Amino acid sequence: MVRFTQIDPNTGLSPIAHPLAAAESKNAKLTYKVTKYSAQGKFCIRGLKAVTRAIKRRSHQGLVVIAGNIAPMDVITHLPALCRSYNIPFVFVPSKEDLAKYSKVRNSVSVVFIPTFNEDYLEGKPAKRFNKLLKAINDNTIES
């Protein structure tokens, strides 16, 4: 029996961390850049409770970024199923510390919700990066 509370000692990640943007891949860098931009503009929602609330309200559409090295993993095992039921794309990143760094928080962060960028307050590269990341997640090419 596999327990979700245990992190794999070889990779340092949870067994449910899929789709995973690998640590040095272009998609991981793209994920961190999108997270950084949304944090600078104060658009992102941080924390498990706030993200769960934003998903359930259905007023928000966007992207959920989940850290893959959360222990115990039981804390966030419901998020992938919740995102699938509300048709919200999600991606795992390897480190909660890096996720906190790019989302402009001093403490570690387990989950960040990035709302869909509107053309009203966004022009240029950030919107293109966000759409490119969503396309990679939807095409299941995020892990390559």
Side-chain angles (χ1 to χ4, degrees), residues 118-144:
N118 295 329
E119 295 299 325
D120 297 342
Y121 59 84
L122 181 68
E123 296 176 4
K125 284 186 180 179
K128 290 178 185 175
R129 288 178 179 158
F130 185 76
N131 292 332
K132 184 177 179 182
L133 181 61
L134 285 180
K135 187 175 185 285
I137 293 169
N138 291 333
D139 295 343
N140 292 328
T141 59
I142 194 76
E143 294 187 25
S144 57

Side-chain angles (χ1 to χ4, degrees), residues 30-94:
L30 187 62
T31 305
Y32 289 138
K33 285 179 183 178
V34 169
T35 305
K36 185 177 180 179
Y37 179 79
S38 66
Q40 286 174 347
K42 298 183 180 168
F43 305 128
C44 68
I45 299 169
R46 301 171 198 93
L48 182 66
K49 188 175 180 180
V51 169
T52 304
R53 190 178 325 123
I55 292 170
K56 286 184 176 179
R57 284 188 181 162
R58 294 186 184 184
S59 60
H60 295 294
Q61 286 295 318
L63 170 68
V64 176
V65 182
I66 308 169
N69 63 346
I70 300 297
M73 200 62 196
D74 292 340
V75 174
I76 61 169
T77 53
H78 71 284
L79 273 179
L82 187 68
C83 290
R84 284 186 192 108
S85 66
Y86 285 97
N87 294 325
I88 294 177
F90 64 95
V91 64
F92 283 88
V93 291

Side-chain angles (χ1 to χ4, degrees), residues 1 7 9 14 16 19 22 24-25 55 65 72 76 81 83 88 98 100 103 106-108 110 114-115:
M1 182 169 91
I7 290 179
S14 168
I16 67 163
E24 296 300 321
S25 70
I55 292 170
V65 182
I76 61 169
C83 290
I88 294 177
D98 287 342
S103 61
R106 291 183 186 154
N107 299 333
S108 61
S110 58
I114 303 168

